Amino acid sequence: MDYHALAQLLFPHLTASPEEILARYPARQLPEGARITRMAPSPTGFMHLGNLYGALVDERLAHQSGGVFYLRIEDTDKKREVAGGVATILDAFSAFGLPFDEGVSAQGETGIYGPYRQSLRAEIYQVFAKKLVLEGQAYPCFCTEDELAQMRATQEQRKENFGYYGKYALWRDRPLADIQAALAKGTPYVVRFRSQGSIERKVRHDDLVKGKMEVTENDQDVVILKSDGIPTYHFAHVIDDHLMGTTVVVRGEEWLATLPVHLQLFRALGWKPPKYAHTAQLMKIDEETGAKRKLSKRKDPELALSFYAQQGYPAPSVLEYLMTLLNSNFEEWRRANPDQPLDAFPFSTKKMSGSGALFDIDKLKDVSKNVISRMSADTVYTQAAAWAAVNDPPFHALLTRDPDYTRSILAIGRGGKKPRKDIALWTDIKPYLDFMFDELFLPDNTLPANVPAADAKSILSEFETQFDENDTPDAFFAKMKALAEQHGYAPETKLYKQSPEQYRGHVGDVSMVVRIAVTGRQNAPDLQSVMHILGAERVRARLRRAANAL
Ligand code: GLU
């Protein structure tokens, strides 16, 4: 076969040589051990949690080692692409604050290893496909869909492996004249890689997540260029990750099945493959069956990244939770370092589990409560207001009417060793502090069972006359104790426990009556702080209102 003639027939338009292309991508000048990672999503308009899970691994590996984390858009499949798909990707990642150092961005491309959109790289792939054709490592295949379907039927009948290999590789050794004739007729064709592999042989692979393994060699002549001259994932991955200098490819474990193809292509091109980290699937416990299963786009809204912002999960909570799934020692580290930023955690692929990660939304909420409890009142204010601006404009108007007022409410119980953990989602803010806004104050005056309404009425009206918004906590409790005693309630819980028959209840019941009147509920943040923020006038009005309602 005259490979030179074949290459000219297939790629008459190409002028660049592989050497010229390679010269456009100089080796990166980076410190020893620096890792180059990338996120390579397709602009399908749907970003899922798995994308973020993988991106967090990429980002940590790169930035922890002084390397580079870049964004490449894999837009070779025009059928799956949607308008605005790239913007969806950029928005999702900027919402989670994962900074790309290079690649596609909202302002265009940055970096010298581009173009970073595969659709702009057609010529580059073709130059390397041509090189393989010249070396007899690739060839055109003119099989029609029908012929391939027929081949499959025969293989099924004969109980043989499916695919385009060995004796089924119909165009592998066709004479040049046949190819010329097919081209002359304008028959569409793909370019296939000529596999030297055998399913009798194994290749060793040492995965950063899955560990050491042996995978069966690939014997299929896979398509590297589709009939429109655009590469398949396999070919684009190998060319791009080589040229762009990726040192670690983090991707879903569904790609493990075709890893032998990728390793083969790297070898055929004379290049060293990158390291691979194949991440486990995100699983969940099915609510109905109780069985473990993959998260599904159809059944599980929480698979979509957009879900988290809509529901009001702060981005740092989601990242923190993903880290608990990614590294088995993270939670222990967090307990020892409650105030450190997430980036201070020494992330390692060695601590990643090779089997499925179990996603649990209740656990996410718990993690989120902790994350929010460590935020400053100002951060909570800013983020909750930003969320409400989009999702609850009337509440936003109230929250931001007097920012200092809202911030002072959010500051209650914050900052100490044991901060309050009432808020997991921004949607929790409204039920948590609605009682502080008269417009939203809908009191529930249900009293503790042992306190008759008449007692509550007189406790409230007496307290109203004594109330001083500037009381110290001690002075306030002294008043509660005195009121308790006057009404036949034990001034100390201890006393009540010793002889319950002597009392109608204890001081806790008395302060509960006050709490219910002021906050309209039994569960509320520190009453003293609440009363101080509400101010004397509003507290008195609420005490009167409750007394009248009883
Ligand atoms: N476009 C591929 C995907 O979204 C990229 C896989 C990879 O990272 O290599 O699954």
Side-chain angles (χ1 to χ4, degrees):
M1 165 71 83
D2 181 349
Y3 293 131
H4 190 78
L6 178 58
Q8 278 313 313
L9 269 179
L10 299 180
F11 304 104
H13 58 290
L14 294 181
T15 49
S17 68
E19 292 68 31
E20 279 162 354
I21 305 267
L22 285 163
R24 289 187 216 156
Y25 294 87
R28 291 173 183 267
Q29 300 300 319
L30 287 158
E32 178 81 17
R35 288 173 146 170
I36 313 302
T37 61
R38 87 295 190 277
M39 174 76 200
S42 300
T44 59
F46 182 74
M47 290 302 285
H48 58 83
L49 196 59
N51 291 126
L52 185 65
Y53 182 77
L56 186 55
V57 178
D58 281 317
E59 193 275 336
R60 286 293 73 218
L61 289 181
H63 291 154
Q64 226 169 241
S65 64
V68 174
F69 171 42
Y70 71 91
L71 176 65
R72 180 169 75 224
I73 301 293
E74 304 218 321
D75 54 354
T76 54
D77 188 351
K78 290 291 162 196
K79 286 197 289 291
R80 292 181 62 220
E81 186 167 343
V82 301
V86 173
T88 309
I89 294 169
L90 293 171
D91 289 351
F93 286 100
S94 81
F96 284 99
L98 287 184
F100 292 109
D101 306 302
E102 180 181 308
V104 176
S105 80
Q107 292 76 41
E109 295 201 348
T110 58
I112 59 160
Y113 295 87
Y116 295 90
R117 284 174 199 247
Q118 290 184 333
S119 58
L120 303 177
R121 303 173 58 78
E123 191 196 334
I124 297 173
Y125 306 118
Q126 289 166 10
V127 165
F128 289 99
K130 180 179 173 187
K131 172 178 151 65
L132 293 178
V133 169
L134 274 169
E135 294 166 352
Q137 297 206 80
Y139 62 90
C141 163
F142 295 84
C143 275
T144 61
E145 291 292 330
D146 276 355
E147 283 172 309
L148 293 174
Q150 234 165 45
M151 181 188 289
R152 199 184 158 86
T154 313
Q155 288 165 341
E156 189 159 22
Q157 210 175 34
R158 295 185 187 161
K159 299 200 177 351
E160 289 180 334
N161 287 340
F162 292 130
Y164 199 97
Y165 63 94
K167 61 177 184 271
Y168 292 107
L170 297 182
W171 284 85
R172 187 188 265 201
D173 295 311
R174 287 287 266 269
L176 190 59
D178 287 7
I179 295 172
Q180 274 166 327
L183 284 175
K185 276 197 275 174
T187 321
Y189 68 93
V190 298
V191 177
R192 288 184 184 269
F193 175 68
R194 183 191 298 269
S195 172
Q196 307 283 347
S198 155
I199 53 168
E200 306 299 329
R201 287 195 298 262
K202 300 274 184 202
V203 216
R204 283 209 191 104
H205 169 60
D206 192 358
D207 198 271
L208 289 181
V209 176
K210 305 262 172 197
K212 286 197 170 68
M213 61 175 80
E214 287 201 331
V215 288
T216 305
E217 260 186 19
N218 166 57
D219 68 341
Q220 305 272 335
D221 284 4
V222 296
V223 175
I224 55 173
L225 289 185
K226 295 181 269 188
S227 57
D228 53 4
I230 297 296
T232 52
Y233 168 79
H234 311 308
F235 200 51
H237 151 51
V238 170
I239 304 290
D240 288 349
D241 284 314
H242 176 72
L243 294 179
M244 298 179 183
T246 311
T247 64
V248 183
V249 167
V250 179
R251 61 184 184 186
E253 66 186 355
E254 65 276 15
W255 293 110
L256 207 47
T258 44
L259 174 71
V261 174
H262 309 145
L263 295 176
Q264 211 172 22
L265 287 171
F266 274 106
R267 193 167 340 111
L269 287 157
W271 298 336
K272 186 171 167 258
K275 288 199 161 44
Y276 287 92
H278 286 97
T279 56
Q281 292 272 3
L282 290 173
M283 314 285 281
K284 76 179 272 189
I285 302 287
D286 188 279
E287 285 106 14
E288 277 164 31
T289 64
K292 224 187 201 184
R293 63 163 174 80
K294 275 192 238 167
L295 280 177
S296 121
K297 188 170 165 181
R298 197 169 47 80
K299 293 192 210 153
D300 306 312
E302 68 269 32
L303 184 61
L305 271 193
S306 51
F307 170 87
Y308 298 91
Q310 279 158 12
Q311 298 285 309
Y313 286 93
S317 300
V318 179
L319 293 178
E320 177 105 358
Y321 174 61
L322 288 182
M323 195 54 96
T324 66
L325 291 180
L326 281 170
N327 262 199
S328 49
N329 56 331
F330 174 69
E331 288 181 85
E332 192 187 323
W333 177 87
R334 176 50 87 204
R335 277 192 292 277
N337 301 278
D339 298 317
Q340 291 279 332
L342 185 60
D343 288 0
F345 171 66
F347 172 77
S348 161
T349 49
K350 292 202 179 71
K351 301 281 182 193
M352 281 172 75
S353 146
S355 52
L358 198 58
F359 179 81
D360 174 356
I361 202 135
D362 291 327
K363 180 77 197 283
L364 164 61
K365 285 183 186 157
D366 280 348
V367 167
S368 190
K369 279 184 182 169
N370 280 314
V371 169
I372 295 177
S373 77
R374 289 192 303 267
M375 289 179 178
S376 70
D378 189 49
T379 303
V380 175
Y381 171 73
T382 312
Q383 298 208 12
W387 181 85
V390 178
N391 297 283
D392 190 350
F395 182 52
H396 176 259
L398 284 180
L399 264 186
T400 56
R401 186 171 57 195
D402 178 353
D404 284 342
Y405 178 76
T406 307
R407 276 193 283 258
S408 63
I409 306 167
L410 292 168
I412 302 175
R414 199 166 282 282
K417 270 222 162 340
K418 284 210 164 213
R420 289 188 68 96
K421 294 179 184 170
D422 308 272
I423 305 159
L425 309 181
W426 299 132
T427 39
D428 294 338
I429 296 257
K430 192 173 180 175
Y432 174 64
L433 47 64
D434 56 359
F435 70 95
M436 295 299 283
F437 296 91
D438 293 338
E439 294 85 342
L440 302 177
F441 185 50
L442 279 176
D444 170 0
N445 289 330
T446 314
L447 295 169
N450 56 322
V451 183
D455 283 8
K457 260 182 192 300
S458 75
I459 288 171
L460 290 176
S461 43
E462 278 165 48
F463 178 62
E464 195 212 318
T465 61
Q466 307 166 5
F467 171 65
D468 181 345
E469 64 178 313
N470 296 316
D471 268 349
T472 60
D474 284 348
F476 170 72
F477 283 119
K479 287 179 180 169
M480 291 294 112
K481 283 183 187 175
L483 277 172
E485 276 197 297
Q486 282 159 31
H487 290 86
Y489 292 74
E492 312 226 357
T493 335
K494 207 170 58 199
L495 292 176
Y496 175 74
K497 287 209 173 120
Q498 280 162 8
S499 33
E501 66 292 343
Q502 289 186 27
Y503 301 100
R504 299 163 79 89
H506 58 77
V507 64
D509 298 317
V510 174
S511 53
M512 181 59 86
V513 169
V514 175
R515 174 175 296 112
I516 288 169
V518 175
T519 67
R521 56 172 101 181
Q522 302 204 357
N523 229 325
D526 177 59
L527 188 55
Q528 272 263 289
S529 313
V530 163
M531 293 195 296
H532 185 75
I533 296 167
L534 282 172
E537 212 176 299
R538 288 165 78 201
V539 172
R540 290 215 165 84
R542 288 184 179 202
L543 292 170
R544 276 196 298 273
R545 170 177 166 160
N548 291 336
L550 288 169

